[in-house]
């Protein structure tokens, strides 16, 4: 298996999170659950932003990355609020990781400018994030993550802040990018229809635990009734 996460655990006053799952290479897995069910915490544990419990084990592409620093994991992350650096031009935002890993700024800008074209953002390189629409900012954010060639990309509600037509567009862009850049993806969402549209596998979370997981095509709407309420 390409990605294995065992015993992703974290305890807070009101919830005890405990999740294990696997993903095949080149697939998209959606983690779906109500607000507060522990989805973002699971992503933070995967990318190494939260402290692991001793039983935790994370394998990516045959390599045990459990104790590895976040920057060394070859995991990219895209957030809902895109978290671009507002004081940096678009090209410098996209080039940021390259510069951090030793590439000279001038060269990194050229690579970033070329890279932006694949995201429909040619000519945007000198703009600043506060001049971009929500959809444009999210595409810059995707470019900034993918330029580092991550093996695994984590998306935390990347479409939630956008309106419905734009969400559809960006969801299909994410699928296209996945084929182009050949990454494995895990996307958190509270929208089951979005999950079904983009993912091969669905994991339903409730109160910090996995409630159901399986292929998207085997997902049954009945699971959403009664005790599993995804409305927020
Ligand atoms: P989701 O992304 O599904 O909305 P989160 O993983 O953000 O859920 O959070 C799950 C629950 O864990 C939250 O309801 C919150 O009560 C608790 N929690 C998350 N982070 C912290 C923290 N740093 N301190 C205390 N409680 C936290
Ligand atoms: Mg969250």
């Amino acid at each position: 298996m390409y990605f294995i996460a065992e015993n992703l655990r974290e305890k807070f006053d009101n919830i005890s999170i405990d999740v294990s799952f696997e993903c095949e290479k080149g697939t998209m897995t959606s983690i779906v659950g109500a607000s507060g069910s522990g989805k973002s915490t699971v992503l933070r544990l995967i990318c190494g932003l939260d402290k692991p419990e001793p039983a935790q084990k994370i394998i990516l592409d045959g390599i045990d990355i459990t104790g590895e620093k976040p920057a060394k994991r070859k995991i990219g992350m895209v957030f809902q609020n895109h978290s671009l650096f507002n004081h940096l031009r678009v090209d410098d935002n996209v080039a940021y990781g390259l510069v951090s890993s030793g590439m000279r700024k001038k060269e990194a800008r050229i690579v970033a400018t070329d890279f932006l074209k694949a995201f429909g953002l040619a000519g945007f390189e000198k703009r600043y994030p506060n001049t971009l629409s929500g959809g444009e900012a999210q595409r810059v954010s995707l470019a900034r993550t993918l330029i580092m060639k991550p093996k695994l990309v984590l998306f935390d509600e990347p479409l939630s802040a956008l309106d419905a037509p734009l969400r559809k567009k960006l969801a299909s862009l994410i699928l296209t990018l996945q084929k182009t850049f050949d990454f494995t993806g895990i996307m958190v969402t509270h929208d089951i229809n979005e999950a079904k549209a983009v993912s091969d596998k669905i994991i339903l979370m409730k109160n910090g635990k996995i409630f159901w997981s399986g292929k998207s095509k085997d997902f049954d709407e009945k699971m959403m009734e009664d005790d599993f309420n995804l409305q927020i």
Side-chain angles (χ1 to χ4, degrees), residues 79-82 134-135 138 157-164 166-167:
F79 299 95
Q80 174 183 354
N81 53 3
H82 65 72
Q138 203 53 301
E157 311 221 19
L159 313 175
S160 300
L162 309 172
D163 57 30
L166 206 55
R167 278 159 74 147

Side-chain angles (χ1 to χ4, degrees), residues 26-30 142 146 155 159 167-183 185 187 193-200:
T27 58
M28 180 69 86
T29 299
S30 285
L142 284 166
L146 295 180
F155 300 89
L159 313 175
R167 278 159 74 147
K168 269 213 162 122
K169 262 192 173 163
L170 233 94
S172 79
L173 177 67
I174 288 174
L175 286 181
T176 307
L177 292 171
Q178 193 187 8
K179 289 190 184 79
T180 312
F181 294 100
D182 191 34
F183 60 82
M187 187 170 109
N193 292 316
E194 202 166 280
K196 283 199 288 190
V198 303
S199 53
D200 305 282

Side-chain angles (χ1 to χ4, degrees), residues 7 64 75 89 125 159 191 194 197 202:
N7 307 315
D64 187 336
I75 297 178
R89 292 165 25 161
E125 46 281 352
L159 313 175
D191 181 342
E194 202 166 280
I202 291 178

